[in-house]
Amino acid sequence: MTEQIEEVLQFWFGELKQGFPVTNRKKLWWFGDEKMDRLIEELFGHQVRMAIWGQLDDWSGQPRGRLALILLLDQFTRSIYRGAVDAFAGDQRAEQLCREGISNGHDTALEASERLFFYMPLEHAEEMSAQNLCVAQLEGMLCATPREQRHHIDNALDFANEHRDLIARFGRFPHRNEILSRSSTPEELAYLNQPHKRYGQ
């Protein structure tokens, strides 16, 4: 089990120094393409499906295992099933794991960049309390982060606020409506007809 957990974390974060990756992870994290999606499916597709089916829940007993499980459910799903409804199949469980982890202090046992992804299910949730909790956690991190590393947290906080603003405005993410077969309201259509971020989906 430990070896599988570390394989997930090593793939996603690589080597860390002062809490952040030594090598640039932007392409993997934010600019996924078909080639990267296929690689994640090849390496971790089976584990993603096991996580969705609840067969890896024992990983959540320790901080790094909980983080790896969150990555499988919240990040790897978005690559393997990009543009399809299953991209969001793990969201509810990932949010639950995140909230439980905050309650039991698992998040504070992790490095800074690991915590950013630990909180990501809150940012992906179509619910205001989750959005507020995400922003609060990141604001707390910002205060505790050395000045030379704060730009990492500032960037994450900007995205968290963008997501929260959308939920405050619409109560959901309009860019998911088509994938999830939801009808868009006139206000949402006006938003969707303007240039807008789709956050990879």
Side-chain angles (χ1 to χ4, degrees), residues 15 20 39 41 58 76 100 106 115 120 135 140 143 153 159 174 189 194-195 198 201:
E15 181 185 352
F20 296 94
L39 177 62
E41 161 65 36
D58 56 337
F76 291 12
E100 290 172 353
H106 276 188
R115 290 177 68 181
M120 197 70 74
V135 170
C143 296
I153 314 300
F159 277 98
L189 287 172
Q194 300 296 320
R198 296 189 60 89
Q201 294 298 322

Side-chain angles (χ1 to χ4, degrees), residues 158-185:
D158 286 343
F159 277 98
N161 279 307
E162 285 181 11
H163 282 73
R164 183 171 67 169
D165 288 347
L166 284 174
I167 297 303
R169 180 178 174 185
F170 300 110
R172 59 187 185 175
F173 296 117
H175 57 273
R176 296 183 187 176
N177 288 351
E178 183 177 357
I179 295 171
L180 297 177
S181 299
R182 302 189 304 208
S183 297
S184 296
T185 66

Side-chain angles (χ1 to χ4, degrees), residues 33-61:
D33 55 23
E34 187 176 347
K35 182 178 179 181
M36 185 61 69
D37 292 347
R38 286 200 307 268
L39 177 62
I40 293 174
E41 161 65 36
E42 180 183 334
L43 294 176
F44 301 106
H46 180 61
Q47 289 175 314
V48 166
R49 288 180 278 278
M50 289 181 69
I52 291 172
W53 296 333
Q55 295 175 349
L56 300 179
D57 284 356
D58 56 337
W59 286 19
S60 66

Side-chain angles (χ1 to χ4, degrees), residues 30-200:
W30 314 125
F31 304 110
D33 55 23
E34 187 176 347
K35 182 178 179 181
M36 185 61 69
D37 292 347
R38 286 200 307 268
L39 177 62
I40 293 174
E41 161 65 36
E42 180 183 334
L43 294 176
F44 301 106
H46 180 61
Q47 289 175 314
V48 166
R49 288 180 278 278
M50 289 181 69
I52 291 172
W53 296 333
Q55 295 175 349
L56 300 179
D57 284 356
D58 56 337
W59 286 19
S60 66
Q62 46 108 340
R64 293 181 66 75
R66 184 177 293 266
L67 172 62
L69 193 51
I70 286 172
L71 289 173
L72 292 175
L73 291 166
D74 182 73
Q75 293 295 319
F76 291 12
T77 45
R78 281 167 163 73
S79 291
I80 292 174
Y81 304 116
R82 189 182 304 277
V85 65
D86 283 344
F88 313 107
D91 283 17
Q92 186 174 355
R93 179 61 179 142
E95 182 188 346
Q96 181 184 12
L97 287 163
C98 174
R99 287 181 179 270
E100 290 172 353
I102 292 170
S103 295
N104 64 28
H106 276 188
D107 57 324
T108 60
L110 300 170
E111 299 284 354
S113 58
E114 295 172 336
R115 290 177 68 181
L116 294 180
F117 283 95
F118 194 94
Y119 301 139
M120 197 70 74
L122 301 172
E123 185 174 303
H124 289 156
E126 293 185 314
E127 201 272 318
M128 203 63 197
S129 72
Q131 294 292 328
N132 287 334
L133 179 57
C134 181
V135 170
Q137 294 300 119
L138 294 178
E139 287 176 342
M141 281 186 67
L142 186 63
C143 296
T145 300
R147 186 176 301 277
E148 64 273 14
Q149 300 287 2
R150 285 185 184 174
H151 63 281
H152 296 289
I153 314 300
D154 277 327
N155 185 58
L157 192 53
D158 286 343
F159 277 98
N161 279 307
E162 285 181 11
H163 282 73
R164 183 171 67 169
D165 288 347
L166 284 174
I167 297 303
R169 180 178 174 185
F170 300 110
R172 59 187 185 175
F173 296 117
H175 57 273
R176 296 183 187 176
N177 288 351
E178 183 177 357
I179 295 171
L180 297 177
S181 299
R182 302 189 304 208
S183 297
S184 296
T185 66
E187 185 183 8
E188 287 174 334
L189 287 172
Y191 167 78
L192 292 169
N193 286 330
Q194 300 296 320
H196 64 279
K197 292 181 180 178
R198 296 189 60 89
Y199 302 103

